[in-house]
Amino acid sequence: MVQYRERGAGNDPLNYKGTDSGSGWPDDYPNDGMLIWHIDATLNSYGTDYLYDNSYTNHKLLSLMEADGLSEIESGAYADAGDYYVNGSVFNPFSNPNSYNYSSKNTGVVVDNLAYVGNTMVGRYAIIGKSSGSLNEAVNSTLNWTTNGDLNGGTSTGWISQTGVTHDGSDSAQTGFINDNQLTWIQTSVTGPGTISFWWKVSSEQDHDKLMFYVDGINLTSISGDVDWNLLSHKIGNGIHTLNWTYLKDGSGFDGNDTGWIDEVKWVLDDATPPTVSCDHLGGLYNKSQNVVLTMNEAGSIYYTLNGETPTTTNTKYTEPITITNTTTLKYLAVDLAGNPSIIHSQIYTLDLVAPNATANPKGGLYNRAQEVSLNMDEKGTIYYSINGSSPDMSMPYTHPITIDSDTVLKYFAMDLAGNTSPVYFENYYTDFKPPVAYSNPAGGIFNKTQIIVLTMNEAGSIYYTLNGETPTTASTKYTEPITITNTTTLKYLAIDLAGNPSIIYSQMFTIDTKSPYLSVTPSGGIYNINKTVVIKMSEFGTIYYTLNGTTPSNKSQRYIGPLIISKNSVLKYFGVDLAGNPSTIYTQNYTINKTVLRVVHTTPLNMQTGFSRTAPIKIQFSETIAPYIHFNNIRVKNISTGTYLTLNSSVTGNTINLRVNHRKINTWYSLTIPAKAVKDRAGNYLLANYTVKFKISS
């Protein structure tokens, strides 16, 4: 806020400690002056009060910009006369204090040219819209720019880039802020010859404060007063030249905005270079109409002819693509805006709209040797082909005769120099250099019944054969129907294809075997007390199948490949199939594996029994059936008192041995001893140890 003060206006609102003369104006105040206040009226988040107040020293709601730059109020002192802006005072972004905001950003506020007019103080107040760009961007120029000016507020007053007043609607360069009898300038240099042009504008005191344009220090022209944007162009000669724009103020005060601007500075070198012309379809041989587009590298005009004559600026002017429908000589000339002519260009367009013809020699057919095929066309060009039956493309150009040594579909077409293509031609070549292959179904082997033999070959032709082992020829029997083989026979046959190529001589031996094989096993089935390794043999070559669980075996059962280990009770059933497919009968072997030790389970008499009958037989009952055994005579009955052994007669019934003993005495103790190896069961298991029973004969 800017506050003007008039003489005799009453007490000042500042907290000022001075002498009051009673006139309402402190005696040691200046007669008049201007106060500048920095007000930050930012609201709080609720919008109910100001965010800042004067209790925060560095960021106040209301702060006086003291003209003397001493910040006495902030340091706790009093205001004084030095706080007023008077004649000659300046407040701008470069003064102290300056017009930056609390965020240290340039506000562009300027107050200067202060003066007394009667009881009123007048001055200039402005806001400069600064841009973020450089002077180059401000004047739209890539030239190198420098700027400077007289000191104002202790700072140089060079020109600035700003957005407030522009010609291009973006930004422009504005004079620095100076006081009376000061100047500010901007300048660059160019190398001629060429033309400098620029837009400029001024708002100043008419005929006193001027914006001037200099070339090499010579003032060529100037503007003053209120002059809106206008364009100025000036020719610059050869060599290096300095271009300068200066704003100069005299001492008579100011008027208007007291500033000037320049924008859109353009430096254009004189054009002495002839233009160039390009043609999108150069002359050549074509098979259709051509639309030719001509372009030049700079602004200007193109002139052309279609009859071979040299073009001038009086000939047809190019305005749109040129259509070439027949053989034509196009000549053209370009002239740029400076009048520089290009060279004369010439393009010859030859149009050929007729398709070529092509032929192959020799043509397709059936051949018994390789063929060298030549392709020919009736005009200059290229023939393209394929030999795999696919449609030919330009990937395989014909350059020399094509070797055909197998069945081949040759496809080809011709393309002349203009790009016209013939239709696609094709030739089928058949060659047969390979002997045929013949087959017998079934092939030779061992069979168990009559065989019906079918002979075939892999291509058309004839088969000849013999059944007596002789080598067949074309004079042998010709195969026309299946051959019946009823006994062992050697079949030989030969195939001849339609090209006369003979196959190799084939020989098939057919053996007819109708007898079934027979099998043997070692050891045979039985009762055993140890694991048995069983070997099965067959009377001829073939395959043996078996089961161990008593089920009937088939050709899907387990195949016998080596000795079988029988470790438990098993019913082995097996049969064989010879190479001819004849099956044997099904054989059965029962294997009982008993590894349990034999035990005595009961005796008559019992051990230590008294009163046993003198004539009753002695009975020994075992844990399972026992086998008659030559070692039964090792069983002994002994008179314990005399040590004599009695004569025994033994017999076996199931699991019991019956002993008849004579000459037993009454009131006598006897012992019955059974050695461990004297008795065994059917599997051959013995007692674990000798067994003894003592008994006494009754009186």
Side-chain angles (χ1 to χ4, degrees):
M1 180 182 74
V2 177
Q3 180 182 16
Y4 292 95
R5 178 73 180 178
E6 297 182 1
R7 293 188 179 94
N11 290 328
D12 192 82
L14 293 176
N15 179 17
Y16 179 79
K17 186 175 184 180
T19 301
D20 190 347
S21 62
S23 63
W25 184 262
D27 292 340
D28 49 357
Y29 267 31
N31 285 338
D32 47 29
M34 181 173 63
L35 296 178
I36 300 177
W37 299 87
H38 185 176
I39 301 173
D40 186 346
T42 303
L43 293 176
N44 61 21
S45 60
Y46 301 103
T48 59
D49 199 355
Y50 295 111
L51 179 63
Y52 303 103
D53 57 37
N54 279 31
S55 64
Y56 182 61
T57 303
N58 294 325
H59 193 153
K60 291 183 172 63
L61 169 67
L62 179 65
S63 178
L64 179 66
M65 300 288 100
E66 301 175 33
D68 55 13
L70 298 178
S71 301
E72 293 166 307
I73 296 176
E74 281 75 6
S75 62
Y78 295 97
D80 58 24
D83 299 338
Y84 283 86
Y85 285 83
V86 296
N87 185 23
S89 297
V90 174
F91 180 73
N92 61 31
F94 315 108
S95 63
N96 181 26
N98 58 47
S99 59
Y100 278 65
N101 63 17
Y102 282 118
S103 299
S104 299
K105 293 184 179 179
N106 188 352
T107 64
V109 173
V110 174
V111 180
D112 62 6
N113 285 345
L114 296 177
Y116 303 117
V117 180
N119 288 334
T120 304
M121 175 167 280
V122 297
R124 178 177 62 176
Y125 173 78
I127 296 178
I128 306 170
K130 290 203 58 154
S131 74
S132 60
S134 64
L135 287 175
N136 297 71
E137 294 172 322
V139 298
N140 310 98
S141 170
T142 58
L143 297 173
N144 293 320
W145 296 87
T146 58
T147 182
N148 210 333
D150 293 328
L151 295 179
N152 184 1
T155 303
S156 174
T157 55
W159 288 48
I160 62 171
S161 170
Q162 58 80 47
T163 60
V165 178
T166 72
H167 180 264
D168 62 3
S170 178
D171 50 8
S172 70
Q174 181 178 349
T175 65
F177 279 83
I178 56 177
N179 285 320
D180 290 345
N181 296 314
Q182 288 187 322
L183 61 82
T184 175
W185 55 264
I186 184 173
Q187 73 180 30
T188 187
S189 62
V190 297
T191 301
T195 300
I196 187 72
S197 65
F198 57 90
W199 290 87
W200 62 346
K201 171 185 173 73
V202 73
S203 177
S204 68
E205 185 182 6
Q206 181 72 44
D207 298 328
H208 288 274
D209 301 335
K210 301 177 181 179
L211 179 57
M212 296 176 287
F213 174 56
Y214 292 84
V215 176
D216 297 330
I218 300 174
N219 180 213
L220 298 184
T221 184
S222 65
I223 53 177
S224 179
D226 189 9
V227 180
D228 201 1
W229 289 107
N230 67 92
L231 179 65
L232 178 66
S233 296
H234 183 75
K235 293 286 291 184
I236 304 296
N238 291 329
I240 300 175
H241 301 273
T242 300
L243 310 181
N244 178 283
W245 291 260
T246 296
Y247 184 63
L248 177 64
K249 284 178 60 62
D250 64 11
S252 64
F254 71 94
D255 194 8
N257 292 324
D258 200 16
T259 188
W261 302 265
I262 64 172
D263 200 358
E264 297 184 81
V265 179
K266 293 183 180 179
W267 167 246
V268 180
L269 288 169
D270 287 351
D271 183 4
T273 303
T276 60
V277 190
S278 62
C279 174
D280 70 333
H281 288 83
L282 298 179
L285 185 60
Y286 296 94
N287 62 1
K288 62 180 179 180
S289 298
Q290 298 296 303
N291 286 322
V292 180
V293 177
L294 303 178
T295 55
M296 56 188 297
N297 66 329
E298 58 179 301
S301 300
I302 301 173
Y303 303 91
Y304 68 93
T305 65
L306 296 173
N307 57 5
E309 293 183 357
T310 300
T312 67
T313 55
T314 61
N315 289 110
T316 303
K317 185 177 180 179
Y318 175 82
T319 58
E320 61 184 1
I322 304 166
T323 300
I324 306 294
T325 59
N326 50 36
T327 298
T328 301
T329 299
L330 168 65
K331 292 187 177 183
Y332 48 94
L333 161 73
V335 180
D336 63 19
L337 297 181
N340 299 304
S342 71
I343 62 174
I344 303 294
H345 297 268
S346 181
Q347 305 289 346
I348 299 176
Y349 299 88
T350 301
L351 267 63
D352 176 6
L353 308 179
V354 179
N357 296 303
T359 57
N361 183 32
K363 290 187 170 295
L366 177 61
Y367 297 93
N368 58 6
R369 58 185 177 84
Q371 298 296 303
E372 298 295 321
V373 179
S374 298
L375 302 179
N376 302 285
M377 59 185 295
D378 59 359
E379 58 178 298
K380 290 184 178 180
T382 304
I383 298 175
Y384 301 94
Y385 71 97
S386 70
I387 55 175
N388 59 2
S390 64
S391 296
D393 55 30
M394 291 188 290
S395 63
M396 290 183 64
Y398 172 81
T399 57
H400 54 271
I402 305 164
T403 300
I404 305 293
D405 57 5
S406 62
D407 289 353
T408 301
V409 177
L410 170 64
K411 293 186 177 183
Y412 59 97
F413 72 93
M415 177 182 291
D416 63 20
L417 298 180
N420 298 301
T421 58
S422 71
V424 175
Y425 304 92
F426 70 92
E427 300 287 348
N428 290 311
Y429 294 88
Y430 302 98
T431 57
D432 187 2
F433 311 133
K434 296 180 180 179
V437 178
Y439 308 94
S440 171
N441 186 24
I446 302 174
F447 302 93
N448 61 4
K449 62 181 179 180
T450 298
Q451 296 296 300
I452 306 300
I453 312 302
V454 176
L455 301 179
T456 57
M457 59 189 294
N458 66 333
E459 57 179 300
S462 300
I463 300 175
Y464 303 89
Y465 70 94
T466 65
L467 296 173
N468 57 5
E470 293 183 356
T471 301
T473 66
T474 54
S476 301
T477 303
K478 184 177 181 180
Y479 175 82
T480 58
E481 60 183 1
I483 304 167
T484 300
I485 303 293
T486 60
N487 50 36
T488 298
T489 301
T490 299
L491 168 64
K492 292 187 176 183
Y493 52 96
L494 162 73
I496 306 291
D497 63 20
L498 296 180
N501 297 305
S503 72
I504 61 173
I505 303 294
Y506 297 90
S507 181
Q508 303 287 347
M509 173 65 74
F510 293 89
T511 301
I512 305 301
D513 176 7
T514 59
K515 294 181 179 180
S516 297
Y518 59 89
L519 284 73
S520 62
V521 65
T522 303
S524 299
I527 301 175
Y528 301 97
N529 65 352
I530 59 174
N531 296 344
K532 303 305 290 183
T533 299
V534 177
V535 177
I536 305 174
K537 294 182 179 181
M538 185 172 168
S539 60
E540 56 182 297
F541 290 110
T543 304
I544 299 172
Y545 301 92
Y546 69 93
T547 64
L548 291 171
N549 59 3
T551 60
T552 300
S554 68
N555 57 6
K556 293 183 180 180
S557 300
Q558 188 73 30
R559 291 181 63 181
Y560 175 81
I561 57 175
L564 304 177
I565 304 300
I566 305 297
S567 60
K568 62 182 180 179
N569 295 343
S570 301
V571 177
L572 170 63
K573 291 192 174 187
Y574 54 97
F575 76 100
V577 179
D578 65 16
L579 298 180
N582 298 301
S584 71
T585 59
I586 295 177
Y587 299 84
T588 301
Q589 299 288 340
N590 290 303
Y591 294 89
T592 300
I593 306 298
N594 183 0
K595 300 179 183 180
T596 304
V597 175
L598 187 65
R599 294 180 297 109
V600 176
V601 297
H602 187 73
T603 59
T604 302
L606 298 175
N607 187 30
M608 304 303 295
Q609 180 179 341
T610 60
F612 184 65
S613 172
R614 182 168 172 267
T615 59
I618 298 173
K619 295 184 178 181
I620 308 164
Q621 185 178 355
F622 295 91
S623 57
E624 57 183 289
T625 301
I626 60 175
Y629 191 45
I630 61 173
H631 294 292
F632 281 175
N633 57 4
N634 290 335
I635 300 173
R636 295 292 187 88
V637 175
K638 181 175 73 171
N639 186 321
I640 295 175
S641 58
T642 63
T644 59
Y645 292 94
L646 305 184
T647 301
L648 304 177
N649 290 315
S650 62
S651 64
V652 177
T653 303
N655 64 342
T656 302
I657 297 178
N658 298 296
L659 299 176
R660 291 197 174 273
V661 182
N662 297 322
H663 310 296
R664 284 179 289 186
K665 295 181 180 181
I666 61 174
N667 296 322
T668 303
W669 282 93
Y670 291 89
S671 64
L672 168 66
T673 301
I674 307 170
K677 297 295 185 180
V679 182
K680 65 178 179 180
D681 61 20
R682 292 182 179 181
N685 298 301
Y686 298 100
L687 291 173
L688 183 62
N690 296 341
Y691 192 87
T692 300
V693 175
K694 293 181 180 181
F695 59 93
K696 182 178 180 181
I697 301 299
S698 60
S699 56

